[in-house]
Every structure is written in C-alpha cells, then in structure tokens.
C-alpha cells in the first residue's frame, strides 16, 4: 500500500477498524481544568464520561500540534508510503485541520501529504476515513482518493439528538442551534451536522420523541450504502437500534461509543447517525 491514511481522534472509529485498515490516528487533547489528557491514550471514552459527570466544570478540547502531524507523516514516509492522505474533522469546528496543513507545508518536497477537510465529524468522518482506507488498499492513487472524498463529502449526512445544549454553548460550537437556547428546559435539541457546522434541525419535548425523530431521518433516506450510529453513553441506545427495524438497508454498519472529543461538545446522552444513501 503506497498511500497511507491519517485522521484525528474525532473520527470515533473502533480500535479494531483502525488496526484492520492501518489507519493512523493523531489524537486531540481533553482538558479538565488544569488537567490535560491525550484522547485515547490517557483517557478512554468510558473513563471520560464518568469524569465529565463528576467534574465541577465542563471539559474543553485542544487540537493536536503541527508537530504531532509532522511526526505521523514522517513515520509513514519512512515506512515506505509514497503519499499520505490526511482526512480531518470539519475545519469549521476545529483548528485540527490547520495543524495538519501546517505540518504538510513544513514537509513539502519531502513527503507528499494531502490534507482533506471532510466537512464532517464523529461517525460521518469515520465513514469517509474508512472509504479512503479501502481505496488505498485497492491501490488507488492519492489524486484518486482526494477526488473520491470530494464526492463522498456531499453524500454523507449526519443528524443527532442531544440531551442538553450546555456543552455546545460552552465550547462555542453551537452554530444556528443558538436559537434554541431560549427554549424551555424540557426541549430535546435535534441538530444537523451535515454541513460541517451545527445547524438546528428541530426540537422535541421528550427524549422518546427526539429518538423517534432521529429514526425517521434514517428511514426517510431510503436504501443506504452505509449507516453508522454513535452515542455518548446513552442508556437508551438499544431502544434506538431496535426502532430502526430489521431492514438490512437500515442496520448499522457500526455502533460505537462517541469519544471524548465529540462527547466534550455534544454532551452526555447524545445519539448520532451518519449515513450514505445508495447511489
């Protein structure tokens, strides 16, 4: 494989998938007050949600340094990669992509690095990263993979239901969901992340209605190529999966726990779906 794939830890892919496709993940950091943790190394997703529940203040995140990406790119080149395609979370939501671009500029002429703004996050980014890795495994060139990702970016949809807007507000990633802040406390926000920013998509008065709304977004999409579900320690995730039905086109390709990066901003209890409609 002469093209290798790099991403960041907001992709929320399982260790099994990462190892299977030889994906390199550059981690972000999670900050609880004066304590900093490297995502996936110092703090697991399970430990993160417990710590967030116990912490007096909400956590924050920090993008990887350009040096972290530079180290990853150089290592892959040393291992024989002709090119590196780095697929990052939406540039509109994080400075992570800028760090990757800075590292790529420093290595210009030494390592062929293509930095791609996925325009997605979490399971949506994960689907794009897997597609890139499979293309690399099939022998596609960096140019071809870049072109494929540009097309795929327009076909990946992401929706989520939240328990609270507090985390999004604290992290400054609230987007047009700002309009929901004045709503009654019982409102369960529904958001659309397809564009790479947080967009208000609806609001429901109960958790069960919000869950049904999310199911309907999936069912309305019709036949799917891929469906991924992520959740932030949601105790009703099994109910949500059951509500999707038994149609194979609706069965999740993967159901994963949302990691600390996205969990920091989305808050506990969020359920998100990312899907690619059939061509």
């Amino acid at each position: 494989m002469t093209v290798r794939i790099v991403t960041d830890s907001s992709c929320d892919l399982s260790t099994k998938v990462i190892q299977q496709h030889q994906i390199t993940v550059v981690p972000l950091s999670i900050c609880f007050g004066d304590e900093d943790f490297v995502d996936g190394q110092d703090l697991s997703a399970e430990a993160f949600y417990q710590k967030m529940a116990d912490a007096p203040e909400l956590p924050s995140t920090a993008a990887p340094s350009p040096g972290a990406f530079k180290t990853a790119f150089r290592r892959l080149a040393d291992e024989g990669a002709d090119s590196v395609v780095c697929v990052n979370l939406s540039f509109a939501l994080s400075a992570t992509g800028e760090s990757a671009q800075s590292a790529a500029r420093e290595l210009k002429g030494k390592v062929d690095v293509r930095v791609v703004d996925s325009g997605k996050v979490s399971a949506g980014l994960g689907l794009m990263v897997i597609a890139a890795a499979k293309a690399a495994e099939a022998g596609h060139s960096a140019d071809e993979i870049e072109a494929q990702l540009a097309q795929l970016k327009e076909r990946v949809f992401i929706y989520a239901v939240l328990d609270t807007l507090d985390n999004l507000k604290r992290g400054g990633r609230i987007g047009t969901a700002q309009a929901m802040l004045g709503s009654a406390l019982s409102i369960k926000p529904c958001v659309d992340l397809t564009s790479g920013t947080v967009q208000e998509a609806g609001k429901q008065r109960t958790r069960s209605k919000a869950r049904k709304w999310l199911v309907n977004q999936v069912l309305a999409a019709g036949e799917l190529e891929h469906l991924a579900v992520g959740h932030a320690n949601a105790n009703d995730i099994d109910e949500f999966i059951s509500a999707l039905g038994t149609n194979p086109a609706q069965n999740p390709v993967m159901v994963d726990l949302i990691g600390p990066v996205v969990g920091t901003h989305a808050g506990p209890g969020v359920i998100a779906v990312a899907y690619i409609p059939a061509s």
Side-chain angles (χ1 to χ4, degrees):
M1 185 166 60
T2 57
V3 179
R4 294 293 297 272
I5 306 302
V6 175
T7 188
D8 57 72
S9 60
S10 76
C11 67
D12 292 336
L13 291 173
S14 68
T15 301
K16 179 181 178 181
V17 169
I18 290 168
Q19 293 176 346
Q20 177 185 352
H21 296 292
Q22 299 182 56
I23 298 164
T24 296
V25 178
V26 177
L28 281 80
S29 297
I30 314 300
C31 310
F32 283 91
D34 295 331
E35 291 184 287
D36 292 341
F37 300 89
V38 177
D39 184 18
Q41 297 179 17
D42 302 331
L43 193 65
S44 67
E46 293 82 1
F48 163 76
Y49 287 111
Q50 183 59 56
K51 190 169 183 63
M52 184 165 65
D54 297 338
E57 296 182 5
L58 293 175
S60 60
T61 58
S65 68
F69 280 106
K70 191 174 179 180
T71 297
F73 298 157
R74 272 184 165 164
R75 178 178 60 79
L76 293 174
D78 290 343
E79 291 175 359
D82 295 322
S83 301
V84 175
V85 177
C86 182
V87 192
N88 292 115
L89 81 157
S90 172
F91 284 24
L93 293 174
S94 172
T96 298
E98 294 176 15
S99 288
Q101 287 179 321
S102 177
R105 285 193 296 270
E106 289 186 45
L107 293 175
K108 189 173 182 180
K110 301 175 183 176
V111 184
D112 176 23
V113 179
R114 321 294 182 86
V115 178
V116 176
D117 179 1
S118 72
K120 312 297 173 185
V121 71
S122 192
L125 171 59
L127 288 178
M128 292 185 66
V129 170
I130 291 172
K134 287 182 176 179
E137 290 165 3
H140 292 208
S141 69
D143 287 341
E144 290 171 331
I145 294 172
E146 274 193 293
Q148 291 167 16
L149 288 172
Q151 293 180 345
L152 187 58
K153 181 178 179 178
E154 304 304 317
R155 299 180 57 224
V156 176
F157 294 81
I158 311 174
Y159 295 96
V161 293
L162 314 177
D163 255 3
T164 175
L165 286 170
D166 289 347
N167 294 63
L168 279 176
K169 181 182 177 183
R170 163 71 172 77
R173 268 71 166 190
I174 199 163
T176 66
Q178 176 84 31
M180 288 191 280
L181 287 175
S183 302
L185 294 177
S186 60
I187 291 294
K188 299 301 178 184
C190 305
V191 297
D192 180 352
L193 295 153
T194 303
S195 68
T197 60
V198 181
Q199 305 290 324
E200 178 182 353
K203 45 195 174 186
Q204 301 293 329
R205 292 195 174 276
T206 66
R207 174 75 174 187
S208 62
K209 288 181 178 179
R211 203 168 55 234
K212 183 177 180 181
W213 175 89
L214 191 58
V215 168
N216 287 338
Q217 302 310 302
V218 177
L219 299 181
E223 186 178 354
L224 305 176
E225 284 185 12
H226 298 287
L227 170 62
V229 175
H231 68 101
N233 235 16
N235 57 19
D236 54 352
I237 187 62
D238 290 339
E239 293 175 66
F240 174 76
I241 298 300
S242 295
L244 289 174
T246 57
N247 184 340
Q250 311 299 355
N251 286 341
V253 171
M254 51 188 178
V255 180
D256 287 316
L257 193 61
I258 290 173
V261 173
V262 179
T264 290
H265 298 285
V270 63
I271 298 177
V273 296
Y275 60 80
I276 304 172
S279 301

